[in-house]
Amino acid sequence: MTTDLFTEQRPDVIQLAAGACWLPGFALPAMDTLWPYLQQHLASNPPQRMMTPMGYFMSVQTSSLGSLGWVSDAQGYGYSATNPVTGEPWAPLPDMILQLAAAAANKAGYADFVPDSCLVNVYAPGSKMGLHQDKDEQDFSQPIVSVSLGLPATFLFGGKTRSDKPVKIPLQHGDVVVWGGPSRRFYHGVNTIKPGMHPLTGNRRINLTLRRAG
Ligand code: MD3
Ligand code: FE
């Protein structure tokens, strides 16, 4: 018998809470097509730092795909059919990403997930996302699928109220998390990204947040 000390095994599915499932490495088989697609998208749709309604710029840079993109300005947060920078509609969501999202949702127990919005969050070292709830969507019975690429991150998974102590989840390149049901409106955030170098993305973490917004 041989013992492979250098192959860290992670389970396929880790239940985080009722309705929330962590799928380590779920996006890795799609990476050969996913990453070139995203690279091209980001080159022609440069991510921007949005301003929050409080008047601060977010440290994360964002871009979107799909019929609705998440936007923020001095007026508030919400979804828009057009990119505020260009005035143009967002690029459509390709089948490859739709299929990945639906397959992940299915594995977590949500049938027929058809997202209409893919937020692309780009984190440089030093970027973070404070604890918040996702509540700008129309239908909270639909889950959210998040795909992590590049540099690792410590994801903070809280509870129903802001004061619920968050659990720390070490997300790696290729990990997918599906949040829905009773956990759909739980607080969550991302700790400050540490400096590092990833073979595909360089010194960046990229997260895709797939939602049914409209
Ligand atoms: C937990 N982005 O853009 S979605 C966001 O890593 C955002 O950039 C995360 O939170 C990121 O709003 C990835 C993670 C997420 C989304 C919805 C949730 C976690 C959730 C709803 C309930 C609980
Ligand atoms: Fe969020």
Side-chain angles (χ1 to χ4, degrees):
M1 190 180 106
T2 57
T3 308
D4 189 348
L5 294 171
F6 304 102
T7 307
E8 183 86 11
Q9 278 292 354
R10 296 187 298 165
D12 278 6
V13 180
I14 301 169
Q15 187 91 31
L16 295 172
C21 253
W22 177 14
L23 309 174
F26 189 85
L28 290 176
M31 210 50 81
D32 288 353
T33 44
L34 180 58
W35 175 241
Y37 189 91
L38 282 176
Q39 249 182 321
Q40 203 174 33
H41 172 76
L42 291 170
S44 44
N45 303 267
Q48 305 276 332
R49 294 174 70 199
M50 300 255 185
M51 188 183 270
T52 70
M54 295 295 286
Y56 298 103
F57 277 101
M58 295 175 64
S59 60
V60 177
Q61 296 180 295
T62 65
S63 171
S64 282
L65 295 157
S67 56
L68 291 170
W70 185 85
V71 295
S72 172
D73 62 20
Q75 270 58 55
Y77 305 109
Y79 286 93
S80 168
T82 54
N83 181 340
V85 177
T86 61
E88 299 289 324
W90 306 99
L93 262 167
D95 280 346
M96 174 235 319
I97 296 180
L98 288 171
Q99 279 166 21
L100 176 66
N106 208 57
K107 185 141 184 160
Y110 302 97
D112 306 318
F113 179 51
V114 184
D116 56 10
S117 177
C118 176
L119 177 64
V120 185
N121 288 147
V122 180
Y123 295 77
S127 300
K128 63 181 163 62
M129 191 175 284
L131 270 189
H132 67 279
Q133 295 169 291
D134 287 19
K135 51 182 184 185
D136 300 323
E137 299 77 28
Q138 299 294 327
D139 180 359
F140 294 113
S141 76
Q142 293 297 310
I144 292 180
V145 172
S146 127
V147 182
S148 291
L149 292 93
L151 291 181
T154 299
F155 189 83
L156 302 171
F157 182 41
K160 235 187 244 208
T161 68
R162 185 177 286 283
S163 57
D164 287 336
K165 190 180 156 63
V167 171
K168 290 180 177 166
I169 303 169
L171 292 182
Q172 296 183 23
H173 176 71
D175 285 4
V176 175
V177 191
V178 182
W179 325 82
S183 71
R184 174 61 181 76
R185 271 177 281 189
F186 280 14
Y187 278 87
H188 58 276
V190 180
N191 268 357
T192 306
I193 301 297
K194 296 192 176 112
M197 220 11 110
H198 187 275
L200 278 191
T201 68
N203 62 345
R204 293 286 183 272
R205 169 179 192 253
I206 296 169
N207 184 270
L208 307 182
T209 309
L210 289 135
R211 305 184 178 104
R212 182 94 202 162

